[in-house]
Amino acid sequence: IVASSAFSGDTRLQEVHIKYRCGSPGTFRSFFIILYNDSSFASIYEIWHISIHSMNRIDVQGMVGQTERGCSLTLRSRDKPRTVKAFSSFPTEFMLENNGTLTLGESLSEVSFKFEPMIPGRRDILVNFIDTSGGEGQPVSSWLVAARAKLPVVAKRYDLQLPVGKVSSKKIMYTNPYSIPRTFKLRTNRPQLLSFRDKQTEMAISAKGQMYIGLRFVEMKSAGMHEVLVFINDEEDKNEECLAVNVAYA
């Protein structure tokens, strides 16, 4: 363990850097760091208890509003076959196939997952695989998913004025740019604010045809500005077009 400190620009703050060599995945270590008020170590200022959980890591990149597939984790049981279930710290964005339930043997098993980010930037997702075969709920493996997501390019922007205290409906015309019929999926990054009218989640549009996208905005109690993104994706849930709707409640 190596600890060092450096003064920041703020005289009230001081950064403490800690370097620790982690063990193999699945190991646990803890230690204490003691801070003193004086150089003679006579007066204790604080005592920190630091716990280190070593785990596997995988890096994932994606685009907000679309589903990233083709990624997987590799697992195996060290002693006997086990039935395990995966638990994600962000289950709406990071999901494993078969509801996260699988059987592990001594050989390596590949576990496919989907990444569906709705917020741009970096996010650390913790995934724990818990043994459910014996009823004890013992952890079998833990993974740290270092996820990064970026926004797609906004193709069109719309400005709407909506009244406070009332549910509002609007519609946007969309044109199929292809010379063949296509089916498009609809998604939004603000489902708590916007839903698609008549529970519309797909649009089957003829070649070069047009169709309205029905938007239903929830009732807002106070005035304010909100930006909502509407993602128009293809059959594989890859983004075709991103629309930005700027909503002003007054």
Side-chain angles (χ1 to χ4, degrees), residues 120-136:
R122 174 173 175 170
R123 173 171 287 178
D124 289 334
I125 303 173
L126 180 62
V127 181
N128 287 317
F129 291 87
I130 306 299
D131 183 3
T132 59
S133 55
E136 298 180 356

Side-chain angles (χ1 to χ4, degrees), residues 153-181:
V153 176
V154 175
K156 296 178 182 177
R157 293 185 177 273
Y158 300 88
D159 295 320
L160 299 179
Q161 298 279 342
L162 301 180
V164 172
K166 181 181 178 181
V167 175
S168 301
S169 297
K170 298 291 182 179
K171 57 184 180 180
I172 295 175
M173 177 67 75
Y174 181 73
T175 301
N176 175 12
Y178 298 97
S179 57
I180 58 174

Side-chain angles (χ1 to χ4, degrees), residues 43-101:
S43 175
I44 295 178
Y45 173 68
E46 281 185 348
I47 300 178
W48 299 348
H49 184 196
I50 299 177
S51 301
I52 305 293
H53 298 262
S54 300
M55 60 184 64
N56 299 284
R57 169 177 168 151
I58 185 173
D59 294 289
V60 178
Q61 294 186 2
M63 185 172 292
V64 174
Q66 73 176 27
T67 301
E68 303 295 339
R69 293 184 174 89
C71 302
S72 62
L73 308 174
T74 53
L75 303 171
R76 68 179 171 186
S77 176
R78 298 181 182 275
D79 45 15
K80 61 180 181 180
R82 299 174 184 270
T83 300
V84 301
K85 184 173 179 59
F87 295 88
S88 168
S89 58
F90 290 93
T92 59
E93 296 192 5
F94 187 88
M95 295 152 286
L96 287 93
E97 293 184 350
N98 301 321
N99 294 320
T101 302

